[in-house]
Amino acid sequence: MLHGWGGTAPSRAHVVHPGTLEELAAVVADAGPRGVLVRGAGRSYGDAAQNGGGTVLDLSAFSSVRVLDDGDVVAGAGAVLAHLVPVLLRRGRFLPVTPGTRYVTVGGAVAADVHGKNHHVDSSFGAHVRRLDLLTADGTLRRLCRDGSPAEQRLLDATLGGMGLTGAVTEVQFGTVPAPTASILVDTHRADDLDTVMALMAEGDDRHRYSVAWVDGTVAGARLGRGVVTFGDHAPEGDGDPRHRTPPPGEPRVGVPPLPVSPLHRHAVAAFNEAWFRRAPRRRIAEPTPLAPFFYPLDAVGGWNRLYGPSGFLQYQFAVPDSGAAMVRRTLEQLRALRVPAYLTVLKRFGPGRDASPLSFPMAGWTLAVDVPARDAALARALDRLDEQVLEAGGRLYLAKDSRAVPATIAAGYPQLDRFRAVRRDVDPDGVFVSDLARRLDL
Amino acid sequence: MSDALHRPSSVLLLGGTSDIGLATVRALASPALRRVVLAARPSPARDAAVEQLTEAGVPEVCVRDFDAADTASHAQVLDSVFAGPDVDVVVVAFGVLGEQRELEEAPDLAVELARVNYLGGVSSCLLAAQRLRRQGHGSIVVLSSVAGDRPRRSNFVYGSSKAGLDSLARGLADSLRGTGVHVLVVRPGFVRSSMTEHLDPAPLAVTPADVAAAVVDGLRRGSTVVYVPRVMRLVMTGLRHVPGPIFRRLPV
């Protein structure tokens, strides 16, 4: 049984661990009527890495990592970012884009075209991919380069953000950024209301590579959306704290056991949020901070998804253009009205999206991500209403986070979906590569 | 694929004109629901059911000719349904109530009732389970009855058919652990529906909508057995332990 990080809607599949390209090609060639799919580290929230009744490929064996002289990385699709980070830091480099957890694979980063706190400066992961090797349904391994033929580039672009539906990525070459030390110089600002949070972010963006805000969706009235804005930049040589080292890859320091019920009661969450807000300094500038807690605060707690108990949770993440900024407040208000205990609410700014990739999520403007426990029909209706408002605002939902949208919502949010389908039909006319997400959303 | 909030995108209703079955489909309807297949014998009631669901906003309502008593035809019917998009929920809702005195006087009729309620259920539950297993996910909702909990003078032929079906469904539920397929056995008490309109409602009578709400809740919780109303569980636990000589004299 496989499920996403949210623990909802599992399905059963046959998991295969091919050790070589030949074995991988043989599995793809033998795919039954329910098809195949590559699963990375299983950090997508919903059903993106499940293929009920079919075959699921685990490419952990494809995890070699090489750093080239120019700083580029050539990594197997199964390589986990957590293992890449220390290798890169030793050479004074860092990932060009990193999501909020380092426990994702390179293949997964490609499939979801992940973004990070530096999207406004550095775009999404796909922008840094120079080439990738893709095993397609017909059994051929195609090397897709940035400067390849137009057909190759179309396939490359559709694969970046393509949720694993164009084929099996086996190896990726991507660029890195300089990181002279393992410290980030962090500016922290605590703001008492949402407008201040958003103003700080809009204004501070240009000056910093990394920016993110944690906002509090549990307080009522004018303080709703108060938050802590953090900006960061790699500390130059000499400015970083030499004691800061990224913890070695491996197990997180604390774990959460499977729980029969969720301890995340509304009041507990409100108390947590209050404490988190108070803990942040009102204003602190250029404080050297170790890299891991800045980028991956949640990685310190293994299996934190279990905090939501057996019924699981989902993450609602949308992007809207600047003209739709009101959606941020509206979402917090509507979830608060439902008394949804949302304790992880993250607000970010996006730079321009990559239009070449039809299913790439980011678009210039704002993105809000809220974790909510998977509950009742009232939550379903509220999120459906929010979907409509997001679409009206010209926005879209993130496929790697989705576990409940309907096909029409995705089609409206991704106007180039038909272009993606055309590429997929070309390269995989029988639909050999398929997922529960693709079936549910008609991708 | 049902979504994170347990909303199915497709439902197959075996017994496509059943009041409880249709109420269940309506309760499962949401913007996520795209397709409903009504399996029933051709009849004006089936046409009306299609119309009802279409008006309720289900984008695609299709029908399959299905005769619960004709078990030999079941595999073909299910194959034709499963040839389409994944089926998230199969509702096994067909059944006949019969008139106890008549059934006792004409055992042929009793055999016919058992053929529909029990054999039809055996065949369709097992066939649906095989196909859902191949899919790796899905739920089977089996409409049982409290009448199966303990045979009563007033309806033991019907009760015995439901007892058999109930047993089968619970065993099936256990056998499907870990396959991604879930079985929910629903045991309503007296339901006011077209099947019982000629009868005086018993105490704790419920409506098809009540049963439907219990199904939605049971699917969300992943329950194996739900009683409707819930207090029926207590009542039936009590009744099961009443000594025979007393039970016979109870007006149940």
Side-chain angles (χ1 to χ4, degrees), chain B residues 153-175:
Chain B
R153 172 71 194 93
S154 58
N155 70 351
F156 64 82
V157 176
Y158 172 80
S160 70
S161 71
K162 286 296 187 186
L165 178 64
D166 193 288
S167 246
L168 175 102
R170 277 179 298 136
L172 186 61
D174 286 344
S175 79

Side-chain angles (χ1 to χ4, degrees), chain A residues 245-259:
Chain A
R245 288 203 172 72
T246 299
E251 290 312 300
R253 279 165 294 181
V254 232
V256 177
L259 301 169

Side-chain angles (χ1 to χ4, degrees), chain B residues 23 29 41 64 67 71-72 81 95 97 106 114 147 156-157 175 211 215 237 250:
Chain B
R41 284 174 299 193
R64 291 287 186 284
D67 181 350
T71 50
V81 176
L97 183 56
F156 64 82
V157 176
S175 79
V211 181
V215 170
T237 305
L250 290 178

